[in-house]
Amino acid sequence: MRAVKFAGAAIAAVIIVIGLLLVVGIPSGFLTTTIASRVESATGYRLSIDGTTKISLWPTLNVTLNDLTLQDPKDRSGITRLTVDSVQADMSLSSVWSGSPKISELVVTHPVLHQQLLRERLPNAGTASKPLALDTGGATIDRVKVVDGEVAFARVRDRVEGRISAINADAVVGRDRKVDIAGTARVGDHPTKFDIKASTPATPADRPTIPVDFAIDMPDVLKSQLAGHAEMRLSGDVVMINGVNGRLGDGAFNGWASVDIASKPLVKVDLDFQRLVIPVAKSPEGTSGQPWSNAPIDVSGLNYVDAQIRISANEAVIGDARLAPLALDAKLAGGVLKAGTANLGAYDGQVSGEVILDATTGAPSFAMHSDLVGVRALPLLQGLAEFDRINGKLQAKLALRSAGTSQRALMANMQGTAFVNFQDGAIRGINIAQMIRSLTSGTLSGWQDSEAQSTDLSQLSASFRIDKGQAVTTDLNLIGPLVRVTGAGTIALDTKMMGFRVEPKLVMTTEGQGRASEPVGFGIPVMIQGSWSQPRIYPDMAGMLDNPDAAYAKLREMGKGLFGPDGAGLGNILGSLGLGGTAAPGGGNAAGNANPQTQNNPLGGPLGEAIGNLIQQGLSSGAGTSTGTGRSRGLPATPSTPAPQASPAPPAQDDPAVAQQDSQPMNDVLRQLFNR
């Protein structure tokens, strides 16, 4: 609006200068003072003409002024001013003789409004100033063209600059006092197209109300065209915009706004949308593993405007995420922005929280806290963060803070706490139970993605303590129908790396976690290390040997659960290791059954072979004998003779004698593993 006041003063100045030119002819140096004096008395602004002035009479009367400067005499800094390369006016000679010049076209070339930025509002900003009265002497203008205009914002002390550049506008004034302004501009790096229609008042008034219709296209910022109607009124230095209504894309809105331009702008906005769409730029494909950007994030402009904003919407679309309803309150004062929402509806759940952004220092800082309850995770995470791995009901509590001038710096300085809990859903594209079994064949590289597979989960939870970009958890817990995983580890937010040590367990029945019996452990901790997108997953052999007693007991327990009584199903594995294992007499297993899949544990045979492969690959480097002659810790003595042949009839599943049998081949393996 300050630009509008300068433009009005400039037009009045041009008309006055042209009138003087027609009276006295081509001016010389002594007329410059006279022209400047007339302009200042009519507009209150000081005009300087530093270039030449030309008059042409053919084919129409044409007046050209070069190198003009218009500024407020009260501004001693001289920063706030309007400079113009040239002003050219075309008019009919007959209208000049009549005393009411009619300008058919006024062309303003490269006008630049230099506006000083203020961090604080001036003490007298609240006092009403005298409205600008333009005495045009009965002159009229049919068309005004602005060529390559600019609005330059600057604060020299802070070394801050901003521009609205490449302003090309064409304003046509009709006989019915309708003004149609259409043109293009570049707001920062964003191309903008605008079309504004207004009606000037029939009679002069101190505070006229001007109806305005507007349409703004800004493809980089707004997904759709912003179009609407408003009633504008200038009250001193406050521009009142009442009765605002219009559409943003396919969503209608209404409300009001005001702008105080006395010193540091104070903007107040209250808008209610039926449907608000806020586009979010999507990451290019294949960039999930790329490092955070070091490109600077500049929010210094928040220091030079104050604002009070309330936005409400029946439905808000942010990226691909849909939130309903939305009520957002924000206040910007002194370079500190506070924005919060309460009971925001999100996918059958509720979200509340607050974000505080402090832009007063060279490295902006932010703090946030948020609570999410009962939100469907998949559509929310997919819409906001393009993350489609986890589905289920999400409960989360976040309390974070950081500071930095780039994405990487913000992540490296992150501090706070976070708790997340997913229930009754699935991990999409990953079969964790199959991954655990695959570990017995070798190290895995990456998450073994598959569109056709998933892992159902009853619960996935973890709490994180974050310090200097390192998110540490000690209570990772995943519970599913066929798998259970507990563990601890660290996620490096700045480098997108991770390191976890987890204890996976497989449930040996499709009845899941509800059975009284505990899941069968893998027996060996698993390491997950590397980048978020492609970590290495492998058994932690060194970790197993850190506590051989516990690992020895665990494997012995697994021998009962996976291999059956007397180490059934281990004959071929032990034979391949040279540990003296043989098949049971009669070509069957130790239980006397020719088919190991008919044992009480149907998964024992395949998993037994898998564990055997693991032993052969990573743990049998020291096995060189077929008899277990080493010392045993915590293992009872076993007779040298083999166990008696089982009766042809299969024993009962709950036979305590069978459950307590020991396996000499298994003992031999364990003694070789731990050199006991």
Side-chain angles (χ1 to χ4, degrees):
M1 298 308 301
R2 188 177 295 276
V4 173
K5 295 176 68 176
F6 268 97
I11 292 173
V14 169
I15 294 174
I16 293 171
V17 171
I18 292 172
L20 289 174
L21 290 174
L22 295 175
V23 174
V24 301
I26 300 176
S28 56
F30 74 93
L31 292 177
T32 302
T33 303
T34 304
I35 297 172
S37 177
R38 289 289 302 272
V39 170
E40 185 170 357
S41 62
T43 66
Y45 291 89
R46 181 177 299 159
L47 174 68
S48 300
I49 305 174
D50 298 325
T52 59
T53 302
K54 298 180 181 179
I55 295 180
S56 174
L57 300 177
W58 183 261
T60 59
L61 179 61
N62 177 276
V63 179
T64 302
L65 307 175
N66 295 291
D67 295 337
L68 289 81
T69 301
L70 191 69
Q71 69 182 80
D72 186 352
K74 299 178 182 179
D75 180 17
R76 297 181 179 180
S77 66
I79 296 177
T80 302
R81 66 189 188 281
L82 175 68
T83 61
V84 182
D85 282 1
S86 68
V87 175
Q88 179 178 324
D90 290 331
M91 68 195 76
S92 63
L93 191 58
S94 59
S95 67
V96 175
W97 297 127
S98 67
S100 299
K102 182 179 180 181
I103 302 174
S104 59
E105 186 176 70
L106 183 67
V107 180
V108 182
T109 303
H110 194 51
V112 180
L113 174 62
H114 301 268
Q115 177 63 52
Q116 182 182 12
L117 295 175
L118 301 175
R119 275 184 173 265
E120 303 292 339
R121 293 182 59 79
L122 300 178
N124 58 350
T127 60
S129 62
K130 180 181 178 181
L132 178 65
L134 301 180
D135 182 11
T136 60
T140 60
I141 303 176
D142 293 337
R143 168 169 290 184
V144 178
K145 286 186 176 181
V146 176
V147 180
D148 193 23
E150 290 186 26
V151 179
F153 306 96
R155 181 174 173 84
V156 178
R157 181 182 303 175
D158 297 343
R159 298 181 180 179
V160 173
E161 291 185 353
R163 288 181 180 271
I164 302 175
S165 59
I167 302 174
N168 293 283
D170 190 357
V172 179
V173 182
R175 295 183 179 180
D176 54 356
R177 304 184 310 279
K178 296 290 183 64
V179 180
D180 189 351
I181 306 173
T184 59
R186 194 168 191 85
V187 181
D189 296 328
H190 308 295
T192 305
K193 183 179 180 181
F194 56 88
D195 189 354
I196 301 173
K197 296 178 173 61
S199 298
T200 59
T203 57
D206 290 343
R207 298 179 180 180
T209 298
I210 302 175
V212 176
D213 295 311
F214 58 89
I216 301 175
D217 288 297
M218 191 178 291
D220 292 353
V221 178
L222 301 175
K223 191 173 183 179
S224 306
Q225 184 186 71
L226 175 65
H229 174 82
E231 303 286 337
M232 295 183 61
R233 179 167 58 90
L234 183 62
S235 177
D237 290 316
V238 179
V239 181
M240 307 295 298
I241 309 174
N242 298 316
V244 178
N245 61 83
R247 301 188 71 84
L248 177 59
D250 57 355
F253 65 90
N254 61 79
W256 61 271
S258 68
V259 183
D260 186 346
I261 58 175
S263 57
K264 180 182 180 180
L266 173 60
V267 180
K268 297 181 180 180
V269 176
D270 190 338
L271 295 177
D272 179 51
F273 291 82
Q274 289 183 352
R275 186 171 187 268
L276 176 62
V277 179
I278 302 175
V280 176
K282 294 186 176 181
S283 303
E285 293 185 5
T287 60
S288 59
Q290 297 297 318
W292 296 109
S293 173
N294 286 316
I297 299 175
D298 186 9
V299 293
S300 58
L302 298 178
N303 290 288
Y304 310 108
V305 61
D306 292 340
Q308 299 174 15
I309 301 173
R310 178 175 176 81
I311 301 293
S312 58
N314 292 334
E315 180 187 17
V317 181
I318 304 176
D320 292 330
R322 285 172 168 78
L323 310 175
L326 168 69
L328 176 67
D329 289 284
K331 182 178 181 180
L332 174 61
V336 178
L337 172 65
K338 296 182 180 180
T341 182
N343 298 325
L344 168 65
Y347 296 107
D348 303 330
Q350 297 289 328
V351 178
S352 61
E354 183 183 46
V355 176
I356 301 175
L357 176 60
D358 187 348
T360 57
T361 61
S365 62
F366 87 93
M368 69 162 293
H369 66 83
S370 179
D371 290 342
L372 294 83
V373 179
V375 179
R376 287 191 289 124
L378 180 61
L380 179 68
L381 297 177
Q382 191 172 21
L384 291 178
E386 303 175 43
F387 182 79
D388 59 356
R389 292 289 191 182
I390 301 181
N391 195 9
K393 288 290 186 178
L394 170 61
Q395 179 179 355
K397 290 183 177 292
L398 306 175
L400 306 173
R401 64 184 184 276
S402 185
T405 58
S406 67
Q407 287 183 353
R408 188 180 184 109
L410 287 172
M411 291 298 172
N413 295 324
M414 190 76 69
Q415 297 187 41
T417 59
F419 168 78
V420 292
N421 183 19
F422 300 89
Q423 291 184 328
D424 301 328
I427 300 177
R428 306 173 72 210
I430 299 175
N431 188 325
I432 294 180
Q434 183 176 353
M435 288 176 61
I436 294 172
R437 297 186 181 102
S438 299
L439 286 174
T440 63
S441 301
T443 297
L444 301 182
S445 177
W447 294 111
Q448 313 301 301
D449 296 350
S450 173
E451 293 292 337
Q453 298 186 11
S454 64
T455 299
D456 292 337
L457 60 87
S458 302
Q459 178 178 320
L460 171 60
S461 64
S463 61
F464 293 88
R465 184 170 297 277
I466 307 170
D467 184 32
K468 296 181 179 179
Q470 305 296 305
V472 179
T473 180
T474 58
D475 57 2
L476 175 67
N477 188 24
L478 185 152
I479 301 175
L482 296 176
V483 66
R484 179 170 183 174
V485 179
T486 58
T490 301
I491 299 176
L493 301 178
D494 54 346
T495 59
K496 294 187 178 182
M497 303 293 286
M498 64 190 306
F500 274 80
R501 186 177 188 269
V502 299
E503 295 279 352
K505 295 182 179 181
L506 295 176
V507 181
M508 307 313 296
T509 172
T510 56
E511 295 182 22
Q513 303 281 350
R515 287 180 59 90
S517 59
E518 287 293 324
V520 177
F522 182 57
I524 301 174
V526 173
M527 303 301 296
I528 304 175
Q529 292 183 338
S531 66
W532 296 356
S533 57
Q534 289 293 319
R536 291 180 64 246
I537 307 173
Y538 57 92
D540 182 18
M541 306 302 183
M544 178 181 179
L545 298 179
D546 285 343
N547 190 350
D549 288 336
Y552 182 83
K554 189 66 178 178
L555 282 179
R556 183 179 172 206
E557 178 185 351
M558 287 183 63
K560 296 177 182 178
L562 293 178
F563 307 122
D566 289 330
L570 274 179
N572 293 334
I573 300 173
L574 296 175
S576 65
L577 294 177
L579 297 178
T582 59
N589 54 35
N593 193 335
N595 184 4
Q597 297 298 326
T598 62
Q599 295 297 317
N600 295 338
N601 180 7
L603 298 180
L607 287 180
E609 293 185 15
I611 298 299
N613 292 336
L614 176 63
I615 295 171
Q616 183 179 15
Q617 291 178 10
L619 299 176
S620 63
S621 59
T625 63
S626 60
T627 59
T629 58
R631 293 181 295 109
S632 129
R633 177 178 298 180
L635 182 67
T638 307
S640 58
T641 59
Q645 179 71 26
S647 62
Q653 294 184 3
D654 297 331
D655 188 353
V658 174
Q660 294 178 3
Q661 288 181 3
D662 204 358
S663 171
Q664 177 61 33
M666 190 65 188
N667 292 337
D668 292 339
V669 173
L670 298 177
R671 289 191 180 97
Q672 290 293 331
L673 290 178
F674 301 106
N675 194 24
R676 298 296 183 189

